Amino acid sequence: ATSAPTTQVDSLCPYCGVGCQLTYHVQGEKIVRVEGRDGPANHARLCVKGRFGFDYIHHPERLTRPLIRREGKPKSLDGFDPSRPLDVFREASWDEALALAADGLRQIREAHGGRSLAGFGSAKGSNEEAYVFQKLVRTGFGSNNVDHCTRLCHASSVAALLEGVGSGAVSNPVADVADADVILIIGANPSANHPVAASFIKNAVKAGKTLIMMDPRRTDLARHARYFLQFRPDSDVALLNCLIHVIIDEGLVDQHFVEQRTEDFAALREQVADFSPERMAPVCGIDADTLRTVARCYARANAAMIFWGMGVSQHVHGTDNVRCLIALALITGQIGRPGTGLHPLRGQNNVQGASDAGLIPMVLPDYQRVDDPAIRARFEAAWGCALDPVPGLTVVEIMDAALAGQIRGMLIMGENPAMSDPDLNHARQALASLEHLVVQDIFLTETAAFADVVLPASAFPEKDGSFTNTDRRVQLGRAALKPPGDARQDLWILQQLAMRMGCQWPFQDTAGVFDEMRRLMPSIAGIDWQRLLREESITYPCHSADDPGQPILFSDDFPTSNGRARIVPAGLVPAAERPDTEYPLVLITGRLLEHWHTGAMTRRATVLDALEPDPVVMMAPSVMAGLGVGPGDMVRLYSRRGQVEAQVRVDAGMREGEVFLPFCYREAAANLLTHDALDPWGKIPEFKYCAVQLEAL
Ligand code: SF4
């Protein structure tokens, strides 16, 4: 194989939402090297995941044949070994597996109705796969019970943004940091989770921009910050309302902007009246002078940009946290211009696109509400069937409904709720209780361990499709290889299932799916497949063929019913579970630079797994001293819901009383410990805060 000629295929990175463009170097049936391309989001840069995280596709554990659970084999993770699928499953032909998969779902639909079925689509799949998946659930299953991992990452951000500014996506691209004077980052760790975006931010600081970082944990980018505010976890609203209080109190409000372009400012002024720096300093652990200085710095900037991540969104008050950020931008007029605005850093490489394409239970593609009769009628006419008028259940609600016997069958494509959901013992019981579970994936994931039928799918470099990055850029991923063995492309699998569930669809190829999408989604109406092939990257909204796309939103009106942005005040809501004498520490979960989410891909990528091979829990030296442990020692972490064991790693950036556990390790699954309390608006779980205890082993 080493002497075979090398071909090059231009595509995208399969990991984070930055959307780096890259080139695969292919020799024979293998990708042997990856290099960065000069794309608008990466300027030829790649991080360690993009550069070295590709060989998971050649891993011996790739699924290459459809699998059917053997008679009598329990649905459980006890003794589960993804390298030995035939212990639990038998191989089957596609005809047999598809017939069994579809028959099981159809029988449940006929006996109990469409609302007894649900589907989790994937933010790892393309826009076209997401669109076809939600269409299958809504027209083939017969309900709106379709969701995906956006529920676990930025659902609260989207809820607050839609309510406040009428659009759930970012207002300005990452590259706008070059036009900002001040960059404010809260609850995000871009150096680990959006490394190429972090490199643009570092460049901006080098060019003289001011960086303000706010986070309970001091991470790499804080080294570049002029102001680093290490606030107490769970005090986000106190901190942000305090900044708003200072801005109003010191006359730094942009009155013209507030009067001309917003509504409900008076309610905000009243709400934050009691949030003076002196009162909030002990609540958030930041001294009053620093709070004043930072508020002035942001408000007085000619252009200031806000970025946030899951440290903001994954709380029972996640929507409130984002309401505060929106208010901060609106009252200072820091929106609608270059170098300003609101940027929730999107996690997965296509979580923006999968959400836009309709993998959300309350909205059809392009955030068009399912409970609006006029909108529903338009989709019914296009799809040729009646649609359920009731919004569906969200991820955690679906698991609860499964355990309650209301959801009886599921299709899960490319997501791993047996690792990613909160309170995993509960979620795994729910998966085990399903009468019929079909999993479509590239590996025998922890979720596939509960499946009745497993359908071997295509990895990222094995298919064409469009993907939408955190900047709203629609970009092309291209196939470099064929799927191995009998594994098939996801679009083919979904269409086969749909056909067996009674749907007749006209799609010939990926371009055909995109064409139907653009006819139903005004935001991408101006992007056609040929244009995408030609231009590679087009930012939406893009309404016509001659529209270049709009990287910066809200220059004129907001896309709300009256064109104004709505300021929504937020009060203090405590975390669902606070530390006590029995569980005295706060657990914060998150990601590592080298591993991606539940680890299904990166832990099978040779270089990445070698860099971070074992479960670690990070803590301040004082916590280690109190426990009498040193770096590398093993500890057990307990919560009221479960326990895991991991190696101690010293992290001087952690505060006393808090520990950080990555959620990528199957053998120490962080979500065995987390709490499934939900934010009431975004229905996002509180992954960033629960009470735990530590024990030395
Ligand atoms: Fe991939 Fe994100 Fe790294 Fe870019 S920054 S190479 S998109 S993981």
Side-chain angles (χ1 to χ4, degrees), residues 13 15-20 45-47 49-51 193-197:
C13 173
Y15 291 107
C16 89
V18 173
C20 295
R45 303 169 196 182
L46 292 178
C47 78
K49 286 190 286 284
R51 194 171 296 281
N193 302 325
H194 303 84
V196 168

Side-chain angles (χ1 to χ4, degrees), residues 472-666:
R472 293 179 274 108
R473 292 182 205 278
V474 184
Q475 308 195 100
L476 266 184
R478 291 189 178 85
L481 300 169
K482 291 194 183 71
D486 282 350
R488 295 290 172 93
Q489 299 221 343
D490 293 79
L491 269 184
W492 180 86
I493 299 171
L494 292 171
Q495 292 216 75
Q496 291 294 318
L497 285 172
M499 199 169 62
R500 285 167 171 80
M501 294 203 66
C503 303
Q504 297 300 328
W505 292 344
F507 304 129
Q508 299 297 320
D509 53 19
T510 313
V513 179
F514 190 82
D515 195 48
E516 180 173 304
M517 290 171 65
R518 63 188 283 267
R519 280 187 272 120
L520 289 165
M521 297 173 63
S523 67
I524 58 166
I527 307 175
D528 66 55
W529 198 255
Q530 288 306 317
R531 184 176 172 192
L532 206 47
L533 286 171
R534 226 173 28 247
E535 297 183 27
E536 295 267 331
S537 175
I538 304 166
T539 302
Y540 81 79
C542 177
H543 297 298
S544 61
D546 56 359
D547 182 349
Q550 298 170 37
I552 298 171
L553 300 181
F554 318 137
S555 308
D556 302 318
D557 287 344
F558 290 94
T560 55
S561 55
N562 60 5
R564 286 172 172 263
R566 188 171 157 216
I567 297 171
V568 182
L572 298 180
V573 174
E577 181 186 63
R578 299 187 67 86
D580 53 25
T581 48
E582 209 181 339
Y583 297 94
L585 297 165
V586 173
L587 172 69
I588 300 172
T589 63
R591 287 167 283 177
L592 296 174
L593 166 66
E594 296 80 1
H595 284 304
W596 188 249
H597 287 207
T598 68
M601 292 157 64
T602 53
R603 295 201 71 202
R604 292 177 171 98
T606 316
V607 172
L608 300 177
D609 194 51
L611 288 169
E612 281 291 358
D614 293 314
V616 286
V617 54
M618 293 142 185
M619 60 191 79
S622 58
V623 178
M624 291 167 57
L627 201 61
V629 294
D633 287 348
M634 292 297 292
V635 292
R636 183 174 294 134
L637 287 90
Y638 299 86
S639 76
R640 288 183 174 83
R641 294 155 294 280
Q643 55 177 278
V644 301
E645 294 174 9
Q647 239 178 43
V648 171
R649 180 174 293 173
V650 65
D651 185 342
M654 297 289 299
R655 291 164 45 96
E656 195 166 357
E658 293 147 25
V659 293
F660 178 86
L661 186 65
F663 64 90
C664 56
Y665 293 103
R666 175 161 65 92

Side-chain angles (χ1 to χ4, degrees), residues 241 244 248 264-273 327 331 567-569:
N241 272 354
I244 294 169
I248 294 173
D264 296 343
F265 174 67
L268 179 76
R269 188 172 49 208
E270 195 177 323
Q271 174 70 36
V272 302
I331 65 168
I567 297 171
V568 182

Side-chain angles (χ1 to χ4, degrees), residues 301-383:
N302 288 325
M305 229 177 143
I306 299 176
F307 292 89
W308 71 94
M310 278 153 247
V312 163
S313 61
Q314 291 177 333
H315 287 280
V316 289
H317 45 78
T319 303
D320 280 336
N321 293 347
V322 180
R323 285 171 173 153
C324 293
L325 293 172
I326 295 168
L328 203 51
L330 290 175
I331 65 168
T332 51
Q334 298 286 14
I335 194 161
R337 294 176 284 117
T340 66
L342 298 159
H343 193 120
L345 285 156
R346 308 309 301 249
Q348 301 259 16
N349 73 333
N350 201 37
V351 70
Q352 183 63 61
S355 304
D356 301 339
L359 284 184
I360 298 185
M362 52 294 277
V363 290
L364 289 151
D366 236 2
Y367 307 94
Q368 303 179 75
R369 291 203 61 90
V370 296
D371 51 8
D372 181 321
I375 289 170
R376 220 172 39 252
R378 186 164 163 255
F379 278 86
E380 285 173 342
W383 290 347

